[in-house]
Amino acid sequence: MILTINPVAFKLGNLSVKWYGVIMAVAIILAVSMAIIEGRKRQIESDDFMDLLLWAVPIGYVGARIYYVIFEWNYYSQHLGEIIAIWNGGIAIYGGLLAGLAVLLVFCYKRMLPPFLMLDIITPGVMAAQILGRWGNFINQEAHGGPTTLAFLQSLHLPDFIINQMKIGGVYYQPTFLYESFFNLIGLLIILLLRHRKHLFKQGEIFMLYLAWYSVVRFFVEGMRTDSLYLLGSIRVSQMLSVILLIVVIVLFIYRRRVVKPKWYLEGSGLKYPYSRD
């Protein structure tokens, strides 16, 4: 008998709390905790990360929704009332990341914080949140790949609960959530192992390594998914953006190393608290 996971974790009266929401809440807490711990070592106060969280999370979700709606405008232009119905699904992580980046840049300007250092500090937490977040897609049986066979899934030596959850409507599907989560975990471990190496990373380069790594992973995983957003009918938006980001990262890395010559990551912010935030 095939048993699938109920997307509802528990109920509070008439309110159904879904596993996706629980997982995302845990992911956010983990991301902030990791940033606070590392931030103290780089002379950034924990209050700065908490304040950033209050702005970045809601605006990030709005950005993720807007991004999705833009590329599904043919549908939403005919169903305007559903644009705000985010509870029915339909967000795109690239939109959330872009919105979050914009918030961070404004926040750092207002607080007089070094933006590239802040990006470096929060990057591992963001990766950890993405890794956990994909398991919310798993429980919802979404963001999967094309049809496959039971034999193929078993050949990957996956536990039964994953194989069972990948059977949707009587058909087994590729667990692309797992591929993305696994390879991002490898990227996270590499960053955690290397980021404290002396004279290895300039400020901003941990963030750029993440962008490059995620762009490559997402490019290949996106090619397997069945729910991609498309541009001009045949171009997968996430694949196109992945290529653009990878090129931008390479150019920016070379330019900053040769021209800007920023501080080393381990030098920290150099800020001494309290300082003016006006």
Side-chain angles (χ1 to χ4, degrees):
M1 182 173 60
I2 300 297
L3 298 177
T4 57
I5 301 172
N6 189 335
V8 178
F10 57 91
K11 291 187 176 182
L12 296 173
N14 294 327
L15 177 65
S16 296
V17 179
K18 296 187 176 182
W19 279 113
Y20 186 89
V22 173
I23 290 172
M24 292 308 299
V26 172
I28 291 170
I29 293 172
L30 176 60
V32 175
S33 300
M34 292 174 66
I36 288 174
I37 293 171
E38 180 66 12
R40 289 172 182 157
K41 300 174 184 177
R42 309 278 82 81
Q43 300 91 49
I44 303 291
E45 289 291 317
S46 59
D47 286 350
D48 288 314
F49 295 106
M50 294 302 297
D51 292 344
L52 175 61
L53 171 71
L54 295 176
W55 288 97
V57 170
I59 294 178
Y61 270 101
V62 171
R65 180 60 171 178
I66 292 174
Y67 184 100
Y68 183 86
V69 169
I70 287 173
F71 290 104
E72 289 287 349
W73 185 243
N74 286 338
Y75 174 82
Y76 286 103
S77 63
Q78 304 300 318
H79 304 83
L80 296 178
E82 295 186 26
I83 290 178
I84 63 171
I86 194 171
W87 50 87
N88 291 331
I91 58 175
I93 189 170
Y94 268 137
L97 291 175
L98 291 172
L101 175 60
V103 171
L104 182 139
L105 294 176
V106 174
F107 183 85
C108 288
Y109 174 77
K110 293 290 187 180
R111 292 288 179 92
M112 298 185 298
L113 294 168
F116 277 110
L117 178 61
M118 286 288 286
L119 287 168
D120 286 341
I121 292 171
I122 69 173
T123 284
V126 170
M127 293 187 74
Q130 286 182 250
I131 292 165
L132 282 178
R134 282 305 178 200
W135 288 86
N137 297 136
F138 161 70
I139 291 177
N140 286 348
Q141 295 183 309
E142 60 191 10
H144 55 71
T148 187
T149 63
L150 173 61
F152 174 78
L153 294 178
Q154 290 175 333
S155 71
L156 299 178
H157 304 289
L158 300 176
D160 288 341
F161 79 94
I162 292 181
I163 294 176
N164 292 342
Q165 195 71 0
M166 286 294 97
K167 189 175 185 180
I168 306 168
V171 178
Y172 288 98
Y173 289 92
Q174 290 276 3
T176 48
F177 87 93
L178 180 62
Y179 303 154
E180 184 173 326
S181 183
F182 174 74
F183 285 107
N184 278 341
L185 177 60
I186 293 176
L188 174 60
L189 293 176
I190 291 173
I191 287 177
L192 292 178
L193 287 172
L194 296 180
R195 68 175 173 173
H196 292 156
R197 294 281 184 93
K198 190 174 182 180
H199 293 168
L200 179 60
F201 290 113
K202 296 280 189 175
Q203 291 187 12
E205 291 179 355
I206 293 175
F207 171 66
M208 287 189 284
L209 175 58
Y210 154 68
L211 282 184
W213 183 277
Y214 182 65
S215 294
V216 173
V217 171
R218 185 58 186 268
F219 180 87
F220 287 103
V221 171
E222 189 68 22
M224 303 174 65
R225 285 176 55 168
T226 59
D227 61 344
S228 298
L229 299 174
Y230 286 90
L231 184 67
L232 302 177
S234 60
I235 301 175
R236 295 178 190 255
V237 175
S238 289
Q239 284 190 319
M240 178 186 69
L241 188 54
S242 293
V243 172
I244 292 173
L245 283 176
L246 184 59
I247 294 172
V248 169
V249 165
I250 294 172
V251 172
L252 186 59
F253 176 85
I254 296 173
Y255 173 76
R256 294 181 80 245
R257 279 274 177 160
R258 293 185 177 181
V259 180
V260 179
K261 298 180 180 178
K263 294 168 59 177
W264 294 105
Y265 170 70
L266 294 181
E267 291 183 59
S269 68
L271 297 173
K272 294 186 181 298
Y273 287 78
Y275 58 86
S276 173
R277 298 181 179 181
D278 297 332

